């Protein structure tokens, strides 16, 4: 759109030469309307005598049409036809200013020259060849003539259209990229995931951590449980047994490995969960998010808060039935089976008020265990007895086993039945009693006691000699032990409430945590741990060691 005048001399170019004052008024009115509407196009002219005014409409389609008209005019002009639009933009701009000396609107034409230079600047640094008209064909003067013929406003709008098309093409290309994986990056990224998994499986924990810092995609990729499983099995208390069984499949393996480093380095935060006014000999068990602990002749159930390092003070349930202190208890088949100092065994239903107690031994019952519907109890009266758990047969003794000494601890093999052994080990000094014993597998078990040793037994090798042993450095009696089924071993000693952590691949103690001072010296009667916390029951309080948030 524009008004075309009569052709003039090569030096006189600009709007308003054909129609005189009417053309100028029309042009000025269009410029004013364009300013009010915040349009971009104003006017443009070449070196030749033809002058055209581009109407300042912001529409993208109108700009493309204007650019096409200018390209046709430049093509007709050719390299040597200066009167028809040949020459450069600089020359056309100078002619535009000189040719307007006899017309009004000198300031507008100067601004038009500035717009022309801006348009030239916008076109030249284009990233694509088709964004620079004419130059791709090697005809410089004809190309710049096309720009001048199209006008500064048309070129600006055409350049804006080209940039918008480029952005759309880039967005489409990005949309075609595979989801998640970057288009460019390290040489590892183009590899198939199976091959990348194989390569990363040879990396250690430090190398995997550094690889995760390269980009977001590699961070997600290196968080795969398959890459961390090998590292977790070699770590302390990561939730994997020696046979590779995952005991905590719901927790990401990488997070467990991070917490495992705190166990290895002994970094933890100590706290107290419960306190008692008088001295106790507590025993405890963990089940899910609940803690069961004995206090005098009661068993109380508490619920952990989400952090695992604190308890809801109000107990979920209280289980009673013994006339004297509860010495030991276990959880099995939604029941609590307790052994009391009154020589009785109590059977409590966890989710109801059902409680049955019956006389089992002539003296206090020191220990009890239950598996597969069978209860086994051990007493100070030097006997161990077998009882059924079935409700119709409670209190009926199935077998009585005579021993040579008091029975302090007892454990049922994971595989029921098997061979009865009267002695486990030999050549022990007098008083080397076993205070705690636990099966790790059907053929392996751990024991500790008065002789200050932790012993690891493999029944397939020998029942007379242990496979490995760890000695308490301060010759303290070991009251209890706990294992993660793999490399970590925790023990509780009789003096100053010391909890020790052991790496079973080493002989020496890994870390020691004294939980009491001299005035309140107490044994650690029982301890339990998860992958994040360790709980230790002493005479006056229940301690927690938080390894998740040290």
């Amino acid at each position: 759109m524009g008004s075309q005048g009569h052709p003039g001399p090569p030096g006189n170019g600009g709007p308003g030469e054909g129609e005189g004052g009417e053309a100028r008024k029309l042009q000025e009115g269009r410029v004013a309307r364009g300013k009010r509407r915040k349009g971009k196009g104003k006017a443009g002219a070449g070196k030749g005598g033809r002058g055209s005014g581009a109407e300042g409409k912001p529409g993208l389609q109108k700009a493309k049409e204007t650019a096409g008209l200018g390209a046709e005019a430049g093509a007709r002009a050719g390299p040597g036809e200066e009167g028809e639009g040949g020459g450069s933009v600089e020359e056309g701009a100078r002619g535009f200013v000189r040719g307007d000396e006899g017309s009004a609107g000198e300031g507008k034409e100067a601004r038009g020259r500035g717009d022309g230079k801006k348009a030239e600047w916008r076109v030249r640094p284009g990233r694509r060849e088709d964004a620079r008209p004419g130059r791709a064909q090697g005809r410089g003067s004809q190309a710049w003539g096309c720009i001048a013929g199209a006008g500064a406003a048309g070129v600006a709008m055409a350049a804006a259209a080209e940039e918008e098309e480029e952005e759309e093409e880039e967005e489409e290309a990005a949309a075609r990229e595979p989801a998640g994986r970057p288009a460019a990056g390290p040489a590892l990224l183009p590899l198939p995931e199976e091959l990348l998994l194989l390569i990363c499986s040879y990396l250690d924990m430090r190398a995997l951590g550094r690889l995760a810092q390269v980009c977001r995609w590699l961070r997600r990729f290196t968080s795969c449980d398959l890459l961390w499983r090998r590292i977790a099995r070699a770590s302390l208390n990561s939730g994997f047994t020696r046979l590779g069984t995952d005991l905590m499949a719901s927790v990401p393996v990488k997070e467990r490995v991070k917490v495992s480093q705190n166990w290895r380095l002994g970094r933890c935060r100590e706290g107290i969960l419960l306190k008692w006014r008088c001295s106790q000999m507590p025993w405890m068990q963990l089940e899910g998010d609940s803690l069961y602990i004995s206090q005098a002749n009661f068993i109380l159930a508490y619920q952990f808060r989400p952090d695992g390092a604190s308890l809801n003070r109000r107990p979920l349930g209280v289980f009673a039935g013994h006339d004297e202190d509860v010495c030991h208890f276990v959880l099995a088949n939604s029941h609590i089976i307790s052994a009391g100092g009154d020589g009785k065994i109590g059977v409590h239903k966890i989710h109801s008020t059902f409680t049955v107690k019956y006389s089992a031994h002539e003296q206090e019952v020191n220990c009890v265990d239950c598996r597969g519907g069978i209860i086994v109890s051990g007493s100070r009266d030097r006997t161990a007895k077998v009882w059924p758990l079935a409700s119709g047969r409670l209190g009926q003794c199935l077998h009585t086993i005579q021993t040579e000494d008091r029975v302090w601890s007892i454990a049922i093999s994971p595989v029921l039945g098997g061979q009865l052994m009267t002695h486990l080990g030999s050549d022990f000094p007098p008083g080397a009693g076993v205070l705690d014993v636990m099966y790790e597998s059907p053929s392996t078990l751990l024991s500790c006691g008065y002789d200050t040793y932790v012993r690891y037994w493999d029944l397939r090798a020998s029942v007379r000699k242990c496979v490995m042993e760890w000695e308490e450095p301060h010759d303290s009696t070991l009251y209890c032990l706990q294992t993660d089924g793999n490399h970590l071993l925790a023990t509780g000693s009789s003096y100053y409430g010391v909890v020790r952590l052991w790496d079973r691949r080493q002989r020496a103690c890994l870390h020691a945590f004294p939980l009491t001072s001299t005035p309140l010296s107490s044994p650690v009667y029982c301890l339990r741990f998860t992958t994040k916390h360790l709980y230790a029951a002493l005479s006056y309080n229940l301690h927690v060691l938080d390894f998740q948030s040290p």
Side-chain angles (χ1 to χ4, degrees), residues 78-89:
E81 299 178 5
E82 295 183 356
E84 294 296 325
S88 65
V89 173

Side-chain angles (χ1 to χ4, degrees), residues 77-224:
E81 299 178 5
E82 295 183 356
E84 294 296 325
S88 65
V89 173
E90 290 84 352
E91 294 174 356
R94 288 194 296 269
F96 182 82
V97 176
R98 288 196 303 269
D100 195 64
E101 292 178 356
S103 63
E106 190 170 356
K108 296 177 182 177
E109 291 154 3
R111 285 195 300 272
R113 180 179 60 180
D115 289 342
K117 289 185 177 179
K118 289 180 181 178
E120 177 190 356
W121 179 83
R122 292 185 64 180
V123 171
R124 283 184 178 178
R127 288 174 291 180
R128 298 171 53 189
E129 289 296 329
D130 55 356
R132 295 181 285 189
R135 177 171 282 189
Q137 302 175 5
R139 302 171 64 183
S141 59
Q142 182 179 355
W144 298 118
C146 291
I147 297 175
V155 172
M157 297 298 290
E162 293 292 345
E163 291 180 0
E164 186 173 346
E165 289 178 0
E166 289 181 13
E167 292 176 359
E168 291 177 357
E169 291 177 1
E170 291 175 359
E171 291 176 359
E172 292 176 0
R176 289 192 296 268
E177 288 293 329
R181 184 175 294 204
L188 288 174
L189 294 182
L191 297 176
E193 289 191 5
E194 294 80 3
L195 184 57
L196 192 56
L197 277 172
L198 178 62
I199 294 174
C200 293
S201 65
Y202 291 96
L203 301 180
D204 58 8
M205 180 176 57
R206 187 184 298 272
L208 279 176
R210 290 177 177 174
L211 186 61
Q213 298 176 0
V214 174
C215 64
R216 293 181 180 177
W217 187 86
L218 279 176
R219 182 175 183 178
R220 290 192 297 269
F221 181 81
T222 54
S223 298
C224 176

Side-chain angles (χ1 to χ4, degrees), residues 423-434 447 451 453 455 457 463-466 469:
H423 294 283
L424 188 62
S426 60
D427 300 329
F428 291 124
V434 176
S447 65
D451 64 346
Y453 278 89
R455 289 185 171 89
W457 307 86
V463 296
R464 296 296 182 183
K465 186 175 181 60
C466 66
E469 60 185 15

